[in-house]
Amino acid sequence: MKKYIASFLLLTLCACELVVDVDIPIEKRNLVLSSFFNPDSTWKAKVSLSRHILDEAPYPFVSDAIVVVFEGENAIDTLEHDSLGYYRSADEGPKPGKSYSIRAVTSEHGTASGSSFCPQIVPGQFSSLQTSVGEFGQPEYSFTITFTDPAGKDFYQVMAIGEYRYTNPYTGQGFVNRSNVRVWSDDEGIDNEELENYEGFFFPDAIFNGEEFSVNVKMTPNMWGGSASSKYFIYFRAVSEDYYKYKITSMLQNHVGNDPFAQPVKVYNNIENGFGIIGGFTQTVLIIEP
């Protein structure tokens, strides 16, 4: 008899389900202001609104903001809205070695602003391209980038974009596909986060401050079937500290996002009275046609 009672209690307990309603407050929307600027292009910024943690809808764009660029205390440009929340300058852009602020003003959601620095250009000297076969039989390219690090605290990024040209074998029509390419470094102290991403890798000058330095770079090209030819654009960037912190923390968040046991990662934000990121960079570009 005791055995039957125990079995009944076990089934009863397993059938019970505790439902707890959690009241998550709906906070007001804040402005989201973001801009990555460099001297190779004119000013561009995006203005949108934040969303609730349980909201999966796209971020709503703001089309009625007044967006002004400042150098120090001086307003130097007012950006014009084009579409999808982007604001652009007609002909102005940042200059290396200067600090800038961007301010977005709206009647409904207030004002948000952020500041950052446009680094001096750090020219990178690229070695010749070496070709080998990777672990899984795919082609693997390698080269070095040599540069002289300026005095002070500096941050760098290496990334690559591949351009692949195809011809439809049935129609003879050609088309081009462009996509980011995975690059990494095996150098000690460089790219040691081991984060799978296609924005390249980032590193500070902690181990070579003010010295000439060479970083070894490896690249695995994307293999799209039927490609008649390919071209690779290698970007060596000097980036602001804001840019660096945002990219590293956002990559870490993406890396652990699906792990329920991982420690939460707070993405770096340098916007006052809102969210987002303002960051600058300069770059040297190498075009490779293997």
Side-chain angles (χ1 to χ4, degrees), residues 7-278:
S7 299
F8 175 76
L9 289 173
L10 179 61
L11 289 172
T12 302
L13 289 173
C14 291
C16 293
E17 181 176 313
L18 179 63
V19 177
V20 179
D21 290 327
V22 179
D23 186 16
I24 300 178
I26 304 298
E27 298 181 351
K28 72 177 185 71
R29 293 184 183 274
N30 291 294
L31 287 175
V32 179
L33 172 63
S34 56
S35 175
F36 292 125
F37 54 83
N38 77 93
D40 296 337
S41 63
T42 56
W43 289 105
K44 182 177 76 170
K46 184 165 67 173
V47 183
S48 58
L49 296 176
S50 62
R51 64 186 186 188
H52 187 260
I53 189 172
L54 299 180
D55 189 356
E56 296 183 355
Y59 290 97
F61 297 112
V62 176
S63 60
D64 61 348
I66 300 174
V67 181
V68 182
V69 181
F70 292 82
E71 183 181 331
E73 299 296 324
N74 300 319
I76 60 173
D77 203 352
T78 298
L79 309 187
E80 298 293 331
H81 180 260
D82 59 359
S83 63
L84 297 178
Y86 283 97
Y87 294 77
R88 300 175 186 270
S89 171
D91 52 12
E92 294 292 330
K95 297 179 175 57
K98 300 287 187 180
S99 294
Y100 296 97
S101 300
I102 300 178
R103 181 184 302 166
V105 182
T106 66
S107 58
E108 183 177 357
H109 301 283
T111 300
S113 62
S115 302
S116 193
F117 179 69
C118 187
Q120 294 286 355
I121 298 174
V122 180
Q125 302 297 323
F126 296 82
S127 71
S128 58
L129 190 69
Q130 304 296 319
T131 305
S132 60
V133 178
E135 180 181 358
F136 301 103
Q138 80 280 15
E140 187 174 280
Y141 300 141
S142 62
F143 54 92
T144 62
I145 303 175
T146 301
F147 60 96
T148 300
D149 177 63
K153 186 187 294 186
D154 299 289
F155 304 87
Y156 299 96
Q157 176 189 14
V158 178
M159 66 172 293
I161 294 177
E163 180 181 280
Y164 307 91
R165 297 182 177 274
Y166 305 89
T167 301
N168 188 311
Y170 302 101
T171 65
Q173 182 179 6
F175 60 98
V176 177
N177 177 282
R178 288 173 66 96
S179 61
N180 287 55
V181 180
R182 180 173 177 260
V183 293
W184 73 99
S185 176
D186 290 335
D187 288 353
E188 185 176 355
I190 304 294
D191 193 26
N192 54 9
E193 297 289 349
E194 298 182 358
L195 300 176
E196 289 291 335
N197 75 94
Y198 284 85
E199 288 196 77
F201 60 92
F202 299 80
F203 57 99
D205 64 352
I207 62 175
F208 54 84
N209 191 347
E211 301 176 358
E212 183 177 272
F213 185 75
S214 294
V215 57
N216 295 304
V217 181
K218 292 186 176 181
M219 179 176 73
T220 303
N222 292 338
M223 299 306 294
W224 303 91
S227 174
S229 62
S230 57
K231 181 187 298 184
Y232 299 95
F233 299 84
I234 314 299
Y235 297 88
F236 172 62
R237 291 176 173 174
V239 305
S240 69
E241 186 170 4
D242 303 290
Y243 183 110
Y244 174 83
K245 288 180 176 179
Y246 171 79
K247 290 294 186 179
I248 290 295
T249 53
S250 61
M251 289 192 303
L252 283 171
Q253 185 192 62
N254 290 335
H255 185 66
V256 304
N258 295 322
D259 185 351
F261 303 106
Q263 183 176 353
V265 177
K266 183 178 181 180
V267 177
Y268 179 79
N269 165 65
N270 67 349
I271 302 301
E272 294 183 12
N273 301 318
F275 302 103
I277 182 66
I278 305 294

